[in-house]
Amino acid sequence: MAERSTAAVDVADNSDETSLTAQADQSTADGVAKNRERDTDSDEVQESTRTDGAGTTSPPELHSGHKLARRYRLEECVTRLDGFSSWRAVDEKLRRAVGVHILPAEHSRARSVLAAARSSALLGDPRFVQVLDAVEENDVVYVVHEWLPDATELTTLLASGPLEPYDAYQMVSQVSSAMAAAHREGLAHLRLNPNAVLRASTGQWRIRGLAVNAALRGVSSDTPQRTDTEAIGALLYAALTQRWPYESDAYGLAGLPKDIGLIAPDQVRAGVHRGLSELSMRALVNDGATASRHESPCTTPEELVKAIGEMPRIRPPEPAFTAPPEYQRTTYQQGTYGRQAPRPGATQPVPTPPPPLQSRTGKALKWAVSALLIAALGLGSWQLADALMDQGGKNEDPGQTQTNDGDGDDKPAAPLKDIPISSVREFAPSGSGIQEDEAQLAADGKVDTAWVTPQYRGYANFGNLPQRKQGSGLILDLGTVREVARIDIDMYRSGQTAEVLAADDDVTGPSSLSEFPQRLSELSSTGSSLRVELKKPLRTRYVLIHVTRLPEDGSADLYRGGIAEVSIKG
C-alpha cells in the first residue's frame, strides 16, 4: 500500500538522541484547555533544527485579539517554537472555540503543513480531532482545528496512577482501530504520544495532530506503520505501569531502570492484566519474538487490531455495593411528638403494657372467635368434599380430555421458535454513535459479552449531552418481516430505564424514534432482565430497545449501562 506519509514521529527507543526527543515531546495543543504547553521548549528546538534547519525562520508577529480572515480571533498563545505558534482562538462566525497553528508562508515546512492538514481533513474520521480549515493568506499559513475543552490528555490521566484494565483495553482498542483506518487512507500520525491521546467526557478516546503535528516539526519515517504501532505499544505500556518504556523520563513518567532493557509490564508492576501486558510487548518489540512470550510481533496497526480481537474481551468492573444508611426514625414515629423532651442524663421509666385480653370480657371474646373459626373450618371441609365427589361423578371416563368449550376442537398452542437476528446497530438519532463496534455482542448468543455504554458523569440521562437527549439503545434487524411473539432481554446492569418499540412492517432502515410507533412495553426501570410477551403476534422487521437513563457505576456521580443479550421468538 502506498503510504501518503506527510510527516513522521521519532518514537523513543533506547538510543540517547531519540530518548531525549521523547522526553521533551510536547504535542501541539489541539484542544485541551487545561493542558497548555510551555511557550519555549529547548528539546523541541533541538529536534526541529536537526531535521531540516527551519528553526531560523521567525514566527509571524501576532498578538491576542488579532483576527485571521476576519473570523478567527486569537485569544491565547499556547506554543511558540521553531518558527510557528499555536493559539486558542474563537471562531466568531460560528461562536465556538478553535485551535490555530500559524507559520510564515516562506517557512520551509509551510507546504508540507498545508498538504498534511488537507489530507487529514479529507479523512473525516470522528476518532481524530478534526481539521476545520487550512489556508495560505497574506504571507501566512494557518491551520484551524477543533478545540475540545472537556477532553483530558492521557498525560493528565496517568499523573494520578495507571489506568484500570478496562480503560486501558478501551484506549488501545480505539486508538489502534483509528490508526488502522488512517493508514488504509495513506495517512500516518508519527507523533503518537500521551499528549496526543485524549479521553472525552463520554469516555470515547480521540487522537489529535494526525500528520499535522509531525509536519510542523518536519520529521519523517521510512516505516510509518511500524512507527505508529510501536507508539501505541508505548501508550499501552504507560497506561498499565505509569512508567515510560525507555530509560529516559518522558511526559511526566519515570523511565525504566538503567541497563536492564525492556521488561514486560507485569514484571514492572504487580496486578497488571496478563493479556494487555503481552499485547504491549508485541507492539513494542518488533525484531522477532517478544521479550517474555513467543507470540509473533505486531508491526502494523491492522495487526494490532487483529491481536486485540483475539483476546478475551475485558468487561468493565462491577460497581461496588454501598450499604444504605441505617434507617432513622423520626421523633413523630417514635411517639415523642408534642411531648417534652427528657433532660439529658435522665433515665425515663418504660411503662409495662397490660397483658392482652385478661379481663372477663376478653376471655369471652376469645372463646367466641375460636368457635367461629371451628365452624368455618368444618363448613369449608364439607364444601370441598362435595365438589370432589361431583367431579368424580362427571369424569367417569379417565381417558377423556376436558376442553374450554366442551366441543373438543381446541388444540395446544404451537411452541415458539427462535427468530434469528440478522444485524444489530446502535440507536443514534443524532448521527453520532458511542460503542457502535460492540453492538453485535448483544446478539452473539453469549450472556458474558455485552454492548456497554461509556461512563457518563453527573447525569443519568447519558451525561445530559445534547446529542443524547433521546437516549440510546439498539435496533435489531430480523432480516425480513416476521411475526414476533416474545422478546427476552438480558440487561448489562439492573436499574436502567428502557422500553421496547417496533417499526411498522412496511418501514425500511428506521433510525429515528418516530419510525418506531408500536409500543411493546412501557418506559420504566428494568431489573437484570426484561421480558415482553405479546397477546397477539406482531408483524415487524425492526425492534428497538430504547434506553433513556443509566444506573450508577460505582459512585453517585458516574453512570453506565448496556445490553448483554437479546433473543426473539415467534
Side-chain angles (χ1 to χ4, degrees), residues 391-402:
Q391 186 175 2
K394 295 177 181 178
N395 259 347
E396 294 178 358
D397 183 3
Q400 182 179 355
T401 302
Q402 294 286 330

Side-chain angles (χ1 to χ4, degrees), residues 80 136 152 216 250 305 307 335 396 469 505 527 552 564:
R80 188 188 299 274
E136 180 179 357
T152 307
L216 285 167
V305 170
E396 294 178 358
K469 63 182 179 180
D505 56 4
E552 292 182 2

Side-chain angles (χ1 to χ4, degrees), residues 361-546:
T361 305
K363 292 180 179 180
L365 181 59
K366 287 195 293 183
W367 281 107
V369 172
S370 300
L372 288 174
L373 289 175
I374 293 172
L377 184 60
L379 181 60
S381 300
W382 176 79
Q383 290 179 337
L384 179 60
D386 186 59
L388 291 175
M389 292 178 65
D390 286 346
Q391 186 175 2
K394 295 177 181 178
N395 259 347
E396 294 178 358
D397 183 3
Q400 182 179 355
T401 302
Q402 294 286 330
T403 60
N404 291 335
D405 54 6
D407 58 4
D409 291 336
D410 281 357
K411 298 180 181 179
L416 298 178
K417 297 182 180 180
D418 288 327
I419 297 178
I421 299 174
S422 175
S423 64
V424 185
R425 56 188 171 92
E426 189 176 311
F427 174 61
S430 64
S432 58
I434 46 181
Q435 297 288 13
E436 296 172 292
D437 55 339
E438 298 183 1
Q440 295 293 339
L441 296 177
D444 60 355
K446 303 175 184 177
V447 181
D448 58 344
T449 62
W451 169 77
V452 183
T453 73
Q455 192 179 64
Y456 292 88
R457 184 179 299 275
Y459 299 91
N461 59 337
F462 293 82
N464 202 30
L465 298 173
Q467 63 269 32
R468 295 279 163 260
K469 63 182 179 180
Q470 291 187 355
S472 186
L474 297 178
I475 298 177
L476 313 174
D477 183 0
L478 307 183
T480 184
V481 176
R482 307 292 293 266
E483 289 193 348
V484 175
R486 194 175 86 186
I487 303 172
D488 293 310
I489 306 169
D490 289 313
M491 307 301 289
Y492 167 72
R493 183 172 294 160
S494 60
Q496 303 181 70
T497 301
E499 62 182 344
V500 182
L501 308 173
D504 292 333
D505 56 4
D506 57 348
V507 173
T508 302
S511 58
S512 64
L513 199 58
S514 61
E515 293 178 284
F516 293 89
Q518 304 189 66
R519 183 180 300 276
L520 309 188
S521 73
E522 294 298 325
L523 181 64
S524 61
S525 179
T526 66
S528 59
S529 63
L530 174 62
R531 171 176 290 185
V532 178
E533 293 195 33
L534 304 178
K535 296 181 180 179
K536 182 180 179 182
L538 172 74
R539 287 179 55 80
T540 186
R541 174 178 174 178
Y542 299 96
V543 175
L544 167 62
I545 305 172
H546 183 211

